[in-house]
Amino acid sequence: MSINLETARTIVAAARKFGADKGFSPLTVVVLDAGGNVLAVEREDGSSNKRFEIAHGKAFGAISIGVGSRALMARAEQQPYFVSAAGAAIGGALIPVPGGVLVKADGATIGAVGISGDTSDNDEAAAVAGIEAAGLTPITG
Amino acid sequence: MSINLETARTIVAAARKFGADKGFSPLTVVVLDAGGNVLAVEREDGSSNKRFEIAHGKAFGAISIGVGSRALMARAEQQPYFVSAAGAAIGGALIPVPGGVLVKADGATIGAVGISGDTSDNDEAAAVAGIEAAGLTPITG
Amino acid sequence: MSINLETARTIVAAARKFGADKGFSPLTVVVLDAGGNVLAVEREDGSSNKRFEIAHGKAFGAISIGVGSRALMARAEQQPYFVSAAGAAIGGALIPVPGGVLVKADGATIGAVGISGDTSDNDEAAAVAGIEAAGLTPITG
Amino acid sequence: MSINLETARTIVAAARKFGADKGFSPLTVVVLDAGGNVLAVEREDGSSNKRFEIAHGKAFGAISIGVGSRALMARAEQQPYFVSAAGAAIGGALIPVPGGVLVKADGATIGAVGISGDTSDNDEAAAVAGIEAAGLTPITG
């Protein structure tokens, strides 16, 4: 099972609404399916040029390794050489800071959400809000 | 001047509606801003894993070189070594088949749309429909 | 809105004059447009071979992430793994030391300037002088 | 011996003037020194995003292999696998179409000029004009 586009759109909309309500800086929201492939992206006006690449790297790192990107940050603090090497190995960037959140349903990982634009903690909060708005379970670390 | 997210969303929705009305295979739609950076993406259910990368390469090739991807196909037919080398040079894939369409307003290039999923001709037709629905001018070649 | 070539040339000339007046080592000055694409470069005689790449990486990092490269240095001091991963993600080098300065006009980011050749602080001062000479607003961090 | 910045600026200005006088599309002009490193770049307003990369690839291919890029096109017509492999080998793109012109003085290669924006033949003509305006000898193939 994997997130479908309609669910991805719900997540994007709810994450963006959460950010707007909280007064966050403009966000970029990326949703990946269970295979780690891009499903939906929106980069808000004023979110800088490469925010897609950063948000993607949070979500792609998370779904690639099977943990939220907050756990990848903890690993980077202890073993930076692992995270650097893993990033080179997975065929795409791995951004090891909060904001890459796994999406679970009935215990299975069905996708991941990556957000960039505000602080890493706020990015993660918006991802969690988006996932919960779709009735799914976020895993942050 | 560059496309904003709201306009990008309008283009995505109208291109998808065009494809659905025509009975096209599931589409992936990518919108880039004037600088060639990702603004919005939607990959429809059933559109295969790496359609984002293909659609992106059509739009990115177009905005990088300043012509629609149909013109890049014509160039590739005559000088395949040029298109291959250009792809290596621009720091991102360049997909030289129809479906990467420049977006113009008042004579200036303000973004590009890339679509993949059906035939290249149909992908391009959906991109044109999306751009025109936003009141903007498509350049296909 | 983006810097045009004539403004970029004004910035380059003023930054170089500032450096010459202060007795700085030979500078390389790079100006990028709002999309992060190269507009103008001058490498002064005696500025070493790959100074273009260094100056470009300061400006490209800044415009990609939306902060001056001084802020990227602060982030690198705290989270070196983030800055390293972000550099891999954005499709081009990110040099996290001062001397990559955003260019703002009416609150919008319209480009970035990167300078390398003297100390990072002096590189940044020359970038600021160049931007101000063009009547624009520099953001260093 | 190598081109200095003042000579590079003369070449850029003369090439641009030639293009403007002839009514060419907006050009991007790149000058490399004898070592193949960037000396000066100007991308005219309306010259598309990645024209620096294309013009650079013409000049870098030329100075890397020691022939004008017109000769590299002839080689690509006969042995596309050589040009493709050489491009991968030289640590930067090699664009094998006219417009990358060696700069000679007293029989020695002292730099290269790459231009992109109009047809390859016109790009080359502008490069030749720029080099001759600096009292130097262009080698196109």
Side-chain angles (χ1 to χ4, degrees):
Chain A
M1 187 189 161
S2 192
I3 296 178
N4 64 16
L5 177 55
E6 210 41 44
T7 301
R9 285 166 48 90
T10 299
I11 293 172
V12 170
R16 287 184 56 196
K17 182 174 189 315
F18 183 88
D21 289 348
K22 298 285 189 185
F24 290 175
S25 296
L27 300 178
T28 299
V29 184
V30 175
V31 183
L32 306 182
D33 66 14
N37 300 300
V38 174
L39 261 187
V41 181
E42 293 192 2
R43 177 163 63 96
E44 296 185 328
D45 301 341
S47 195
S48 65
N49 289 340
K50 298 298 185 189
R51 290 288 171 183
F52 162 68
E53 284 77 6
I54 302 299
H56 179 273
K58 294 182 182 185
F60 188 68
I63 195 89
S64 294
I65 308 299
V67 296
S69 64
R70 180 175 288 279
L72 294 171
M73 181 172 70
R75 187 78 182 264
E77 296 281 1
Q78 294 196 330
Q79 294 188 303
Y81 46 85
F82 170 75
V83 169
S84 167
I90 66 178
L94 182 169
I95 303 284
V97 299
V101 182
L102 294 179
V103 183
K104 294 246 191 186
D106 299 327
T109 299
I110 61 168
V113 176
I115 298 187
S116 181
D118 203 283
T119 67
S120 294
D121 286 348
N122 285 346
D123 294 341
E124 183 188 78
V128 166
I131 294 163
E132 291 179 340
L136 298 164
T137 304
I139 307 290
T140 58
Chain B
M1 188 187 162
S2 194
I3 295 178
N4 64 15
L5 178 54
E6 208 45 42
T7 301
R9 284 165 50 89
T10 298
I11 292 171
V12 171
R16 289 184 56 197
K17 180 172 190 317
F18 183 88
D21 289 348
K22 298 284 188 185
F24 289 176
S25 295
L27 301 178
T28 298
V29 184
V30 175
V31 183
L32 306 182
D33 67 13
N37 299 299
V38 174
L39 259 187
V41 182
E42 294 193 1
R43 176 162 64 95
E44 295 185 328
D45 301 340
S47 194
S48 65
N49 289 341
K50 298 296 184 191
R51 289 288 173 181
F52 162 68
E53 284 76 7
I54 302 298
H56 180 272
K58 293 182 185 184
F60 188 67
I63 195 91
S64 294
I65 309 299
V67 295
S69 65
R70 181 175 287 277
L72 294 172
M73 181 173 69
R75 187 77 182 263
E77 297 282 359
Q78 295 197 327
Q79 295 189 303
Y81 47 83
F82 171 76
V83 169
S84 167
I90 66 176
L94 181 170
I95 304 286
V97 298
V101 181
L102 295 179
V103 183
K104 294 245 188 184
D106 299 326
T109 299
I110 63 168
V113 176
I115 297 187
S116 180
D118 203 284
T119 66
S120 295
D121 286 348
N122 285 346
D123 294 342
E124 182 189 78
V128 166
I131 293 164
E132 290 180 340
L136 298 165
T137 303
I139 306 290
T140 58
Chain C
M1 187 188 161
S2 194
I3 296 179
N4 64 16
L5 178 55
E6 208 44 43
T7 300
R9 285 165 49 91
T10 298
I11 292 171
V12 171
R16 289 184 57 197
K17 182 173 190 315
F18 183 88
D21 289 349
K22 297 285 187 184
F24 289 175
S25 296
L27 300 178
T28 299
V29 184
V30 175
V31 183
L32 306 182
D33 67 16
N37 299 300
V38 174
L39 261 187
V41 182
E42 294 193 1
R43 178 164 61 95
E44 296 185 327
D45 301 340
S47 196
S48 64
N49 289 340
K50 298 297 186 191
R51 289 289 173 180
F52 162 68
E53 283 76 7
I54 302 300
H56 180 273
K58 294 183 182 184
F60 188 67
I63 195 89
S64 293
I65 308 300
V67 297
S69 64
R70 180 175 289 278
L72 294 171
M73 182 172 69
R75 187 77 183 264
E77 298 280 0
Q78 294 195 329
Q79 295 188 305
Y81 47 81
F82 170 76
V83 169
S84 166
I90 66 177
L94 182 169
I95 305 285
V97 297
V101 181
L102 295 179
V103 182
K104 293 246 189 184
D106 299 325
T109 299
I110 61 168
V113 176
I115 297 187
S116 181
D118 203 285
T119 66
S120 294
D121 286 349
N122 285 345
D123 293 342
E124 183 188 76
V128 166
I131 294 164
E132 290 180 340
L136 298 165
T137 303
I139 305 290
T140 58
Chain D
M1 187 188 161
S2 193
I3 295 178
N4 64 16
L5 177 55
E6 207 45 42
T7 301
R9 285 165 48 91
T10 297
I11 292 170
V12 171
R16 290 183 55 197
K17 181 172 189 318
F18 183 88
D21 289 349
K22 298 284 189 185
F24 289 175
S25 296
L27 300 178
T28 299
V29 184
V30 175
V31 183
L32 306 182
D33 67 14
N37 300 300
V38 173
L39 261 186
V41 181
E42 293 192 3
R43 178 163 62 97
E44 296 185 326
D45 301 341
S47 195
S48 66
N49 289 340
K50 298 298 184 191
R51 290 287 172 181
F52 162 68
E53 285 76 6
I54 302 299
H56 179 272
K58 293 182 182 185
F60 188 67
I63 195 91
S64 294
I65 308 299
V67 296
S69 64
R70 181 175 288 277
L72 295 171
M73 182 173 68
R75 188 77 182 264
E77 296 281 1
Q78 294 196 330
Q79 294 189 304
Y81 46 85
F82 170 76
V83 168
S84 167
I90 65 177
L94 181 170
I95 304 285
V97 297
V101 181
L102 295 179
V103 182
K104 293 246 190 184
D106 298 327
T109 299
I110 62 170
V113 175
I115 298 187
S116 181
D118 203 283
T119 66
S120 295
D121 286 348
N122 285 346
D123 294 341
E124 183 189 78
V128 166
I131 293 165
E132 290 180 339
L136 297 165
T137 303
I139 307 290
T140 57

